[in-house]
Amino acid sequence: MAKRLVVHSPYPNLQGTYTESSTWEGKPAFVRQDANGGPTWIFYSSKFGRAPCWYFARSLPQGASLSSFCCSTGAADTPEAASWPVEDITEVREDGAAGRVVDPSCTSSEEKVRQCSECVTMSELRAGLKCSACASPQDRRAMLALSVLREHCSITVQKKLAMAFAAGSLQAKRILEDVAEAQEACDTRPLLLDEPPEQLEVGAGTSALTCEAISLSKAKLQYQWCKDGVALPRAERPRLVFCAAGPQDEGSYTCCVSSGAGAVSTAACQVLLSQAAREARAAAAAKRSRFESPLRRATEAERAGKKEDAVSLLSQAIEASEDNEAVRIDALLRRAKLQLQLERWREAFHDATAAIAIAPSLARAHAVRGTAAEK
């Protein structure tokens, strides 16, 4: 069976699984096939540079020329035994072998400085985190995934994942494992990094559902929010905002993220109206009923020709609609017109004047007051 190497690197074009496929200068050469960017090779050569070493390159040398991504810092029998610049290659190991543990007491001073520099970068996400070269074996893949994410997602999401992982979150660990696995397999399908909670309460203020995904190929991602399985119009962004939500907004929400390489959907989030919002809506409905009912009955009285009853009912509506200017104006003008029909000129003038005080430019209020004044 051909030998396989697992390479960890901050760079997507170097990281992945390489398979022994050829020989070069008497040593095995390994290749990783990338469906989007072509092959990447690991091979040994003593003909280039100042000393024999192992190389990462897009192809095997052509004649006397070589264009490489990086090279080892010295000769070794195998790539996994070679020393690599830690800013380019954090680990090379045979597939199936345990990841290497870095013992600071056994490394060169130059490597220590570089490792510490990388650890400082990781600690900016969450205090105590180490780089993939210095981390414990069980954390190495997660730290490598965090390094990869620097080029693909916001610092906010990076910190959220780092802190959740450090706190022992199984979900954060799964997400980082998925990123590491996709990196090694050159998988360019969308990966979910942040998705909505299982449940969200909404109300009178502003609330939002957020979904963040990446593609390691940096392909453009398309977002589509759905409610109860139906795509929502104009909901094609990572963030879905609820403003002054009501019962019509309750339901099961998901977000589908797609690219040319595939699609992935978030788990469902149940959006519910908060108890405070329910109570506020109930109170508002009760308040509306105080003027809606007399307004409806006033309309019925007018149709029946009972003008005195209609005036009395409109008076109730006016008293109950102190906080609703539009309803109050309409009720005042309706009562003013009835007062004109009952030849109560002074009362009609007073009602029209009260409507003008609320809406000074209202033409129909001025017309009613003018008619009352003439009388």
Side-chain angles (χ1 to χ4, degrees):
M1 178 181 290
K3 181 178 178 180
R4 289 160 58 90
L5 298 177
V6 175
V7 175
H8 290 167
S9 167
Y11 300 101
N13 63 317
L14 301 180
Q15 176 154 306
T17 301
Y18 290 73
T19 303
E20 183 177 350
S21 180
S22 183
T23 59
W24 190 259
E25 295 187 22
K27 293 186 181 294
F30 303 82
V31 67
R32 186 204 71 174
Q33 293 292 342
D34 186 341
N36 295 322
T40 301
W41 286 85
I42 304 174
F43 60 89
Y44 176 90
S45 179
S46 59
K47 298 180 181 179
F48 303 93
R50 291 176 294 180
C53 60
W54 289 89
Y55 291 89
F56 279 82
R58 180 61 68 192
S59 65
L60 294 173
Q62 304 293 323
S65 65
L66 169 64
S67 176
S68 66
F69 297 120
C70 66
C71 63
S72 65
T73 55
D77 290 336
T78 62
E80 63 268 32
S83 296
W84 297 93
V86 293
E87 66 269 23
D88 296 323
I89 306 296
T90 55
E91 181 182 30
V92 179
R93 61 178 170 83
E94 187 172 353
D95 191 18
R100 74 181 170 93
V101 178
V102 175
D103 181 357
S105 65
C106 299
T107 57
S108 68
S109 59
E110 182 181 1
E111 187 176 359
K112 283 183 182 179
V113 170
R114 282 195 290 256
Q115 287 171 350
C116 290
S117 175
E118 180 68 11
C119 287
V120 168
T121 301
M122 295 301 294
S123 66
E124 291 175 355
L125 299 178
R126 202 274 187 185
L129 289 184
K130 296 182 179 181
C131 69
S132 58
C134 299
S136 60
Q138 62 268 28
D139 292 346
R140 186 166 292 122
R141 283 168 62 82
M143 297 306 99
L144 178 64
L146 285 173
S147 297
V148 171
L149 290 178
R150 290 178 200 159
E151 299 182 9
H152 295 280
C153 70
S154 66
I155 188 66
T156 300
V157 172
Q158 292 177 51
K159 287 184 175 181
K160 182 177 179 180
L161 283 171
M163 296 181 70
F165 176 81
S169 167
L170 294 179
Q171 182 182 14
K173 182 178 180 180
R174 176 187 58 78
I175 291 172
L176 293 175
E177 286 286 343
D178 288 346
V179 172
E181 183 178 340
Q183 179 75 0
E184 292 174 356
C186 301
D187 190 344
T188 59
R189 291 174 296 179
L191 293 169
L192 291 174
L193 301 183
D194 190 21
E195 53 185 306
E198 292 182 0
Q199 182 174 305
L200 176 70
E201 288 193 346
V202 295
T206 299
S207 305
L209 296 178
T210 301
C211 171
E212 182 161 347
I214 63 166
S215 169
L216 295 183
S217 67
K218 297 185 179 181
K220 183 178 180 181
L221 300 179
Q222 296 178 324
Y223 292 80
Q224 177 61 65
W225 288 94
C226 299
K227 176 190 174 188
D228 298 327
V230 179
L232 294 170
R234 298 182 299 279
E236 300 170 354
R237 295 184 178 182
R239 188 174 170 88
L240 182 66
V241 178
F242 299 90
C243 295
Q248 72 280 1
D249 295 308
E250 292 187 307
S252 178
Y253 287 78
T254 57
C255 183
C256 178
V257 186
S258 60
S259 69
V264 63
S265 290
T266 64
C269 172
Q270 198 67 29
V271 173
L272 303 171
L273 201 60
S274 68
Q275 185 61 33
R278 291 181 187 279
E279 292 174 355
R281 293 182 67 85
K287 198 169 186 178
R288 285 196 306 273
S289 68
R290 291 177 55 200
F291 59 77
E292 288 178 346
S293 177
L295 283 175
R296 184 176 62 256
R297 289 159 58 200
T299 299
E300 294 171 354
E302 284 187 76
R303 290 173 179 170
K306 300 178 181 179
K307 297 179 182 179
E308 291 288 358
D309 291 346
V311 168
S312 177
L313 290 165
L314 287 170
S315 298
Q316 295 177 31
I318 291 168
E319 183 178 352
S321 61
E322 291 182 357
D323 298 332
N324 193 317
E325 290 186 350
V327 171
R328 189 174 177 82
I329 290 171
D330 184 67
L332 281 167
L333 291 179
R334 285 178 61 183
R335 190 173 70 176
K337 291 178 181 179
L338 286 173
Q339 301 286 24
L340 287 177
Q341 295 174 23
L342 295 170
E343 298 183 354
R344 296 173 183 168
W345 320 123
R346 187 180 299 276
E347 289 83 350
F349 183 88
H350 175 78
D351 284 347
T353 300
I356 291 171
I358 300 172
S361 60
L362 192 61
R364 54 197 181 104
H366 284 281
V368 172
R369 188 171 73 167
T371 301
E374 290 177 0
K375 298 296 183 180

